[in-house]
């Protein structure tokens, strides 16, 4: 059975344009993959806590040595990691907020980067331990940034996913959404069409099924 994990990271939850594009993709993907499952994690409705020194220590501690508080903290991370490990396809609604990723997504990143579990260091450098996954990022922006040096979001997200071993990554942009209907409408239409196309295409994860 194929699994899709969808992360909605818009402040506006299901009302965010990035969430709606991710929804479009997920609905088509599920229709094209009978018997598959879709898990939706809405980081606005259910935010992941910020990483603290205490939480990080809980991740590092051996399970048998954790205090009760540390066990609960590590459980949050373990659950998020398990969801990601189980996913064949990762779909992220990715708004641009103040030149970066939503802080809720950064908190999720901080909880799924686990040494020895999702990545490890070897003598030749870091190695991502989550192999064979495909990721689709629905990147919504008020302005136009893709392809310009100021678009640090794309590189950051690509590098982070690659660090965990997720290197097969597709960015779909809807830009200029604050630039009036004449720009915003076609941008959303184009991204929506791309969502339909990618979700129904014979992507590698389906060929491997
Ligand atoms: C708090 C906030 C910060 C934003 N910062 C930026 C920005 O730095 N650059 C930009 O092009 N658009 C910015 N925008 C516009 C959003 O990227 C745009 O509204 C997009 O649709 C957000 O995706 P969403 O609808 O899924 O939340 C910002 C919007 C908000 C609410």
């Amino acid at each position: 059975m194929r699994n899709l994990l969808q992360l909605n990271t818009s402040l506006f939850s299901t009302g965010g344009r990035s969430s709606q594009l991710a929804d479009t993709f997920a609905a088509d993907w599920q229709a094209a993959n009978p018997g598959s499952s879709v898990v939706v994690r809405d980081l606005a409705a259910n935010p992941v806590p910020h990483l603290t020194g205490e939480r990080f220590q809980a991740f590092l501690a051996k399970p048998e040595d954790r205090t009760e508080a540390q066990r609960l903290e590590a459980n949050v991370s373990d659950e998020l990691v398990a969801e990601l490990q189980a996913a064949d396809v990762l779909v992220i609604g990715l708004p641009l907020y103040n030149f970066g990723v939503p802080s809720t997504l950064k908190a999720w990143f901080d909880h799924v980067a686990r040494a020895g579990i999702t990545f490890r260091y070897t003598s030749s450098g870091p190695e991502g331990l989550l192999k064979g996954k495909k990721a689709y990022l629905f990147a919504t922006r008020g302005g136009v940034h893709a392809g310009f040096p100021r678009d640090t979001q794309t590189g950051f997200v690509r590098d982070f996913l690659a660090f965990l071993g997720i290197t097969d990554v597709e960015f779909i942009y809807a830009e200029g959404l604050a630039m009036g209907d004449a720009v915003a409408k076609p941008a959303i239409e184009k991204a929506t069409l791309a969502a339909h196309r990618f979700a129904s295409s014979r992507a590698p994860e389906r060929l491997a099924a």
Side-chain angles (χ1 to χ4, degrees), residues 1-3 29-37:
M1 186 173 87
R2 316 299 290 163
N3 295 317
W29 182 89
Q30 194 161 31
N33 290 273
S36 59
S37 78

Side-chain angles (χ1 to χ4, degrees), residues 2 29 32-33 88-89 136 200-209:
R2 316 299 290 163
W29 182 89
N33 290 273
D88 303 290
V89 179
Y136 296 90
S200 330
S201 67
R202 285 186 63 78
E205 78 270 4
R206 290 189 58 215
L207 293 174

Side-chain angles (χ1 to χ4, degrees), residues 10-12 15-19 94-100 140-145 177-178:
S10 170
L11 293 175
F12 307 109
R17 284 174 288 195
S18 57
S19 312
L94 182 68
L96 183 69
Y97 291 150
N98 300 314
F99 291 88
T140 50
R141 285 108 181 257
V144 173
H145 308 280
L177 302 186

Side-chain angles (χ1 to χ4, degrees), residues 124-201:
S124 52
E127 182 192 0
L129 300 177
L130 302 178
K131 303 271 167 64
K133 300 185 191 303
K134 171 100 194 176
Y136 296 90
L137 291 299
F138 289 93
T140 50
R141 285 108 181 257
V144 173
H145 308 280
F148 294 99
R150 66 176 174 274
D151 180 11
T152 54
Q153 187 194 49
T154 298
F156 166 61
V157 172
R158 194 186 289 284
D159 286 346
F160 179 78
L161 294 178
F163 183 69
L164 302 187
I166 305 172
T167 51
D168 190 356
V169 172
E170 201 76 56
F171 281 83
I172 297 106
Y173 297 96
E175 295 197 294
L177 302 186
M179 293 167 64
D181 275 359
V183 178
K185 208 165 164 272
I188 288 287
E189 281 168 4
K190 198 170 158 215
T192 303
L193 275 178
H196 287 306
R197 201 178 61 243
F198 280 121
S200 330
S201 67

Side-chain angles (χ1 to χ4, degrees), residues 12 16 21 39 51 58-59 68 72-74 82 95 101 115 156 177 188 192 198 205:
F12 307 109
L21 288 167
V39 172
L51 189 60
F59 299 170
E68 180 58 14
L72 294 173
E73 287 170 340
V101 299
F156 166 61
L177 302 186
I188 288 287
T192 303
F198 280 121
E205 78 270 4

